[in-house]
Amino acid sequence: MDLLKTLVDKGLRRELPTREEALAVLATSDDDLLDVVAAAGKVRRHWFGRRVKLNYLVNLKSGLCPEDCSYCSQRLGSKAEILKYTWLKPGEASEAAAAGVAGGAKRVCLVASGRGPTDRDVDRVSETIRTIKEQNDGVEVCACLGLLSDGQAERLRAAGADAYNHNLNTSEGRTGRSRPRTRTRTGWTPSPRRTRRGCPPAPV
């Protein structure tokens, strides 16, 4: 595929793809998926060799979610046989994070089920972040807690969070029929009013 060869050559020269080229990759058929992966692999190996960066996930709260996202085993009414527990204490979460760091993880991601945290939850997670940072020199910490209210991203950043992840997960065509929590991460721009609290500016 000429497109992939062009992009590999650009990647080896540290040149960014154009918007049109990036969109063309997204539009490739499923039959070409392995070719896309192989092309990306060439660029990655050139710059990073066979090294990988390990991220380690700590589930701060499992199950007990009031939302009904149909794909999720933690959703309201799910029959999945998963662990269900409320918030881990900061010491427990830090102990779990230490196991990941000992295994080679460079980043710990703190996740929790639910639509979004309360201010009390943010206090708890902030303490957890500080504890992990104090006990694991140089580790990065990110959080994925759902939709944030005004000021909560800044509080997580002040506690030491390096990034905030927010999953956007439906197509543009469904937004008129879906709840505000479901949004896309592929190729369209949702309403700032609906996403501004869940997607704080970089680096958090």
Side-chain angles (χ1 to χ4, degrees), residues 64-119:
L64 311 174
C65 182
E67 297 294 290
D68 62 353
C69 304
S70 61
Y71 62 86
C72 183
S73 63
Q74 301 190 63
R75 74 182 183 276
L76 178 70
S78 171
K79 305 300 184 192
E81 296 180 4
I82 61 166
L83 291 174
K84 295 180 182 179
Y85 53 85
T86 191
W87 292 93
L88 293 181
K89 294 177 181 176
E92 295 172 323
S94 182
E95 185 177 338
V101 173
K106 302 299 184 188
R107 172 176 284 199
V108 173
C109 190
L110 304 174
V111 303
S113 64
R115 180 174 176 79
T118 64
D119 284 338

Side-chain angles (χ1 to χ4, degrees), residues 67 69 71 114-116 145-149 164-200:
E67 297 294 290
C69 304
Y71 62 86
R115 180 174 176 79
L145 311 172
L147 295 168
L148 297 178
S149 299
Y164 191 85
N165 297 328
H166 183 64
N167 295 328
L168 307 174
N169 46 25
T170 196
S171 69
E172 182 178 13
R174 292 186 56 81
T175 55
R177 303 188 300 276
S178 61
R179 296 183 181 183
R181 72 175 183 283
T182 53
R183 290 177 281 278
T184 189
R185 58 192 303 177
T186 55
W188 64 278
T189 304
S191 164
R193 177 183 62 81
R194 299 174 111 188
T195 60
R196 63 186 175 85
R197 293 182 176 176
C199 303

Side-chain angles (χ1 to χ4, degrees), residues 14-190:
R14 297 185 76 96
E15 294 178 16
L16 294 175
T18 66
R19 176 180 172 81
E20 291 72 23
E21 288 168 339
L23 290 173
V25 172
L26 291 176
T28 55
S29 71
D30 289 347
D31 292 339
D32 294 325
L33 178 60
L34 293 180
D35 292 334
V36 173
V37 172
K42 288 180 183 178
V43 177
R44 191 187 73 79
R45 284 190 300 276
H46 176 80
W47 295 109
F48 299 102
R50 296 179 62 83
R51 292 178 294 131
V52 296
K53 179 179 178 180
L54 295 179
N55 294 347
Y56 189 78
L57 188 146
V58 176
N59 197 357
L60 298 177
K61 185 175 69 145
S62 181
L64 311 174
C65 182
E67 297 294 290
D68 62 353
C69 304
S70 61
Y71 62 86
C72 183
S73 63
Q74 301 190 63
R75 74 182 183 276
L76 178 70
S78 171
K79 305 300 184 192
E81 296 180 4
I82 61 166
L83 291 174
K84 295 180 182 179
Y85 53 85
T86 191
W87 292 93
L88 293 181
K89 294 177 181 176
E92 295 172 323
S94 182
E95 185 177 338
V101 173
K106 302 299 184 188
R107 172 176 284 199
V108 173
C109 190
L110 304 174
V111 303
S113 64
R115 180 174 176 79
T118 64
D119 284 338
R120 183 179 176 190
D121 296 334
V122 170
D123 289 339
R124 180 186 289 110
V125 175
S126 294
E127 184 181 348
T128 299
I129 293 169
R130 285 189 288 268
T131 301
I132 291 172
K133 291 268 190 170
E134 288 168 4
Q135 296 180 359
N136 301 277
D137 190 44
V139 71
E140 298 175 359
V141 178
C142 67
C144 184
L145 311 172
L147 295 168
L148 297 178
S149 299
D150 291 337
Q152 290 183 334
E154 291 78 4
R155 289 166 58 195
L156 293 170
R157 177 61 173 167
D162 297 286
Y164 191 85
N165 297 328
H166 183 64
N167 295 328
L168 307 174
N169 46 25
T170 196
S171 69
E172 182 178 13
R174 292 186 56 81
T175 55
R177 303 188 300 276
S178 61
R179 296 183 181 183
R181 72 175 183 283
T182 53
R183 290 177 281 278
T184 189
R185 58 192 303 177
T186 55
W188 64 278
T189 304

